[in-house]
């Protein structure tokens, strides 16, 4: 007979992303300034003053830090791969349960054109499987970022402008996970997930064994807020996305449609959105407005991932044998992503230059907001 787990059943209403966000707002003027810049960019995308320049799918390299005390917390590679599979379905709107989206919102379902893959090269350029395993003396971690540093019993991050760092560990207080919004300190950037809410196999436990905790937390990492606006039911705040209905508070479990709050009838809350708190089996969509906000993030605070994905080498399928052709003038090497035309290469270089220039402008603006003055 299997021994019962000593850990409590987790509750998604203890996602810690907003705790971290509010702590950083209170502690750091720099973070407040960066957040102001990020929100300004998101508003420009929403209003149509800016639009996304990226074309095609980008792939974000992931490093998974498995930080374990008890043996069961040292999850196996299969559980990790099951989580990557879920992410690559959810962020591409390829999840089978997307068919459950109510008809009134099917036109809003978004393919974010983001995929995730375990890193194949470490920060020094050596080969890696993208998984780090660290034994810790800590029985559990909290939202204080202790899991993100070897000095506090955790695992140090890989460069956070090159990798999405995901820490999997035991979390205290029933916490499912938490993320750091873009604009925070680089040494703590990434997402943290309870091992019992990670992936679909191994230690993953119902009702959070569908891999959706990581989908939710990476949503925060890409600058999405909770769909209800974290206003404790006041209906006075929202998630800053126009196509998600304002709702009173978090939904839990698996509500029946429609569930009306905040005078948002007849369709009510979009409780099947990944940024609510429903069970894994009851959430299955991002919206077009959320995709737009993610695009603003990927061309602003997290533009290093967009540029790197466009420039990374990609494996090309072997070409079938073709009849001999007359010799052609030599062309420039073909970048990743299926770019095959000189005009596409030129556009890629132009887009990369534009993104770099916009990021530098934002940094200059941010420094002005925090009262930066040249030294001397």
């Amino acid at each position: 007979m299997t021994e019962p787990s000593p850990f409590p059943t987790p509750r998604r209403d203890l996602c810690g992303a907003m705790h971290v966000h509010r702590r950083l707002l209170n502690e750091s003027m720099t973070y407040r300034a960066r957040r102001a810049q990020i929100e300004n960019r998101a508003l420009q995308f929403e209003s149509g003053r800016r639009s996304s320049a990226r074309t095609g799918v980008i792939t974000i390299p992931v490093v998974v830090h498995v930080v374990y005390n008890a043996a069961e917390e040292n999850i196996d590679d299969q559980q990790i791969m099951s989580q990557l599979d879920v992410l690559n379905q959810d962020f591409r709107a390829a999840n089978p349960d997307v068919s459950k989206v109510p008809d009134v919102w099917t036109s809003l379902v978004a393919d974010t054109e983001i995929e995730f893959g375990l890193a194949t090269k470490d920060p020094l350029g050596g080969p890696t499987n993208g998984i780090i395993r660290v034994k810790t003396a800590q029985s559990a971690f909290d939202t204080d970022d202790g899991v993100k540093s070897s000095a506090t019993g955790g695992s140090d991050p890989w460069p956070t402008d090159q990798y999405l760092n995901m820490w999997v560990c035991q979390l205290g207080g029933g916490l499912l996970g938490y993320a750091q919004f873009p604009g925070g300190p680089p040494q703590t950037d990434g997402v943290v997930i309870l091992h019992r809410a990670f992936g679909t196999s191994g230690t993953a436990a119902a009702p959070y064994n569908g891999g959706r905790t990581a989908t939710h937390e990476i949503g925060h990492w890409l600058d999405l807020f909770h769909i209800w606006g974290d206003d404790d039911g006041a209906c006075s705040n929202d998630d800053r996305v126009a196509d998600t209905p304002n709702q009173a508070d978090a939904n839990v479990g698996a509500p029946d449609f429609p569930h009306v709050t905040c005078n948002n009838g007849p369709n009510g809350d979009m409780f099947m959105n990944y940024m609510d708190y429903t069970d894994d089996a009851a959430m299955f969509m991002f919206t077009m407005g959320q995709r737009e906000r993610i695009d603003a993030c990927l061309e602003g605070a997290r533009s290093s991932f967009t540029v790197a994905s466009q420039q990374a080498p990609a494996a090309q399928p072997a070409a079938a044998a073709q009849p001999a052709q007359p010799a052609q003038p030599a062309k420039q090497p073909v970048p990743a992503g299926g770019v095959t035309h000189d005009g596409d290469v030129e556009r890629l270089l132009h887009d990369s230059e534009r993104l770099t220039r916009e990021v530098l402008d934002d940094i200059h603006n941010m420094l002005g907001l925090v009262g930066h003055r040249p030294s001397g």
Side-chain angles (χ1 to χ4, degrees), residues 6 17 30 40 58 61 121 139 154 165 247-248 281 315-316 339 353:
T30 300
N40 181 60
I58 71 166
K121 291 186 178 181
S139 60
N165 286 262
Q247 67 185 53
Q316 298 294 329
V339 179
E353 180 182 357

Side-chain angles (χ1 to χ4, degrees), residues 5 7-10 72 79 170 194-198 203-205 208-209:
S5 170
F7 305 118
T9 300
E72 75 161 1
Q79 186 170 347
Q170 174 61 26
L194 174 71
H195 71 95
R196 289 169 59 83
F198 190 82
T203 66
Y208 307 118
N209 58 345

Side-chain angles (χ1 to χ4, degrees), residues 37-109:
Q37 291 294 318
I38 290 166
E39 287 301 329
N40 181 60
R41 175 181 287 270
L43 180 60
Q44 290 176 330
F45 269 68
E46 183 179 11
S47 65
R49 294 197 299 273
R50 280 186 175 179
S51 60
S52 178
R54 72 180 176 103
T55 57
V57 178
I58 71 166
T59 300
I60 295 179
V62 177
V63 54
V64 177
H65 306 258
V66 181
V67 181
Y68 65 97
N69 177 280
E72 75 161 1
E73 300 162 18
N74 187 19
I75 62 173
D76 61 25
D77 291 2
Q78 181 181 354
Q79 186 170 347
I80 293 170
M81 293 309 300
S82 74
Q83 180 62 77
L84 269 292
D85 289 342
V86 171
L87 293 176
N88 286 330
Q89 288 185 341
D90 289 353
F91 279 84
R92 296 301 315 276
N95 48 304
D97 52 1
V98 74
S99 61
K100 298 178 182 179
V101 173
D103 291 343
V104 294
W105 288 322
T106 54
S107 64
L108 298 181
V109 172

Side-chain angles (χ1 to χ4, degrees), residues 122-142:
D122 67 21
L124 298 179
T128 181
N129 67 354
I131 301 171
I132 299 172
R133 298 182 183 276
V134 173
K135 173 74 172 176
T136 183
Q138 299 294 321
S139 60
F141 293 93
D142 204 340

Side-chain angles (χ1 to χ4, degrees), residues 70-372:
E72 75 161 1
E73 300 162 18
N74 187 19
I75 62 173
D76 61 25
D77 291 2
Q78 181 181 354
Q79 186 170 347
I80 293 170
M81 293 309 300
S82 74
Q83 180 62 77
L84 269 292
D85 289 342
V86 171
L87 293 176
N88 286 330
Q89 288 185 341
D90 289 353
F91 279 84
R92 296 301 315 276
N95 48 304
D97 52 1
V98 74
S99 61
K100 298 178 182 179
V101 173
D103 291 343
V104 294
W105 288 322
T106 54
S107 64
L108 298 181
V109 172
D111 172 2
T112 68
E113 293 190 297
I114 300 171
E115 294 180 359
F116 303 85
L118 289 174
T120 58
K121 291 186 178 181
D122 67 21
L124 298 179
T128 181
N129 67 354
I131 301 171
I132 299 172
R133 298 182 183 276
V134 173
K135 173 74 172 176
T136 183
Q138 299 294 321
S139 60
F141 293 93
D142 204 340
T143 58
D144 61 0
D145 293 329
V147 73
K148 301 176 182 178
S149 171
S150 58
T152 49
S155 179
D156 296 327
W158 287 7
T160 53
D161 62 341
Q162 301 174 38
Y163 304 91
L164 166 56
N165 286 262
M166 300 179 67
W167 288 267
V168 184
C169 61
Q170 174 61 26
L171 290 168
L175 187 67
L176 278 182
Y178 70 95
Q180 182 173 292
F181 285 98
Q187 66 271 21
T188 53
D189 194 23
V191 304
V192 182
I193 309 291
L194 174 71
H195 71 95
R196 289 169 59 83
F198 190 82
T200 61
S201 63
T203 66
Y208 307 118
N209 58 345
R212 263 59 193 271
T213 296
T215 302
H216 177 101
E217 299 302 342
I218 293 172
H220 287 314
W221 184 80
L222 290 168
D223 205 34
L224 298 183
F225 285 101
H226 290 141
I227 195 170
W228 67 94
D230 291 277
D231 60 2
D232 297 321
C235 298
S236 59
N237 197 22
D238 60 22
D239 63 350
R240 306 176 193 182
V241 174
D243 63 5
T244 57
N246 189 22
Q247 67 185 53
D249 212 336
N251 288 290
V252 296
D256 292 325
F257 176 81
H259 180 242
V260 176
T261 65
C262 291
N263 297 313
N264 62 9
N267 301 322
D269 298 354
M270 191 184 282
F271 55 79
M272 67 293 303
N273 194 283
Y274 293 125
M275 303 312 295
D276 208 334
Y277 275 173
T278 48
D279 292 348
D280 280 16
M283 54 168 58
F284 24 79
M285 69 176 294
F286 288 119
T287 70
M288 299 299 292
Q290 288 173 317
R291 151 110 197 211
E292 193 169 56
R293 187 174 174 90
I294 288 172
D295 284 341
C297 174
L298 284 172
E299 296 194 15
R302 301 210 184 278
S303 61
S304 59
F305 291 94
T306 302
V307 174
S309 183
Q310 287 175 321
Q311 295 178 342
Q316 298 294 329
Q322 299 290 335
Q325 299 292 330
Q328 299 292 327
K331 293 186 177 181
Q332 295 297 316
V334 177
V339 179
T340 57
H341 303 291
D342 291 341
D344 290 337
V345 174
E346 182 179 353
R347 184 164 57 254
L348 171 62
L349 294 173
H350 177 269
D351 289 345
S352 298
E353 180 182 357
R354 182 183 62 80
L355 289 173
T356 302
R357 186 169 59 252
E358 289 183 358
V359 171
L360 289 173
D361 288 343
D362 284 348
I363 290 173
H364 292 157
N365 292 336
M366 179 272 294
L367 290 173
L369 283 172
V370 298
H372 175 78

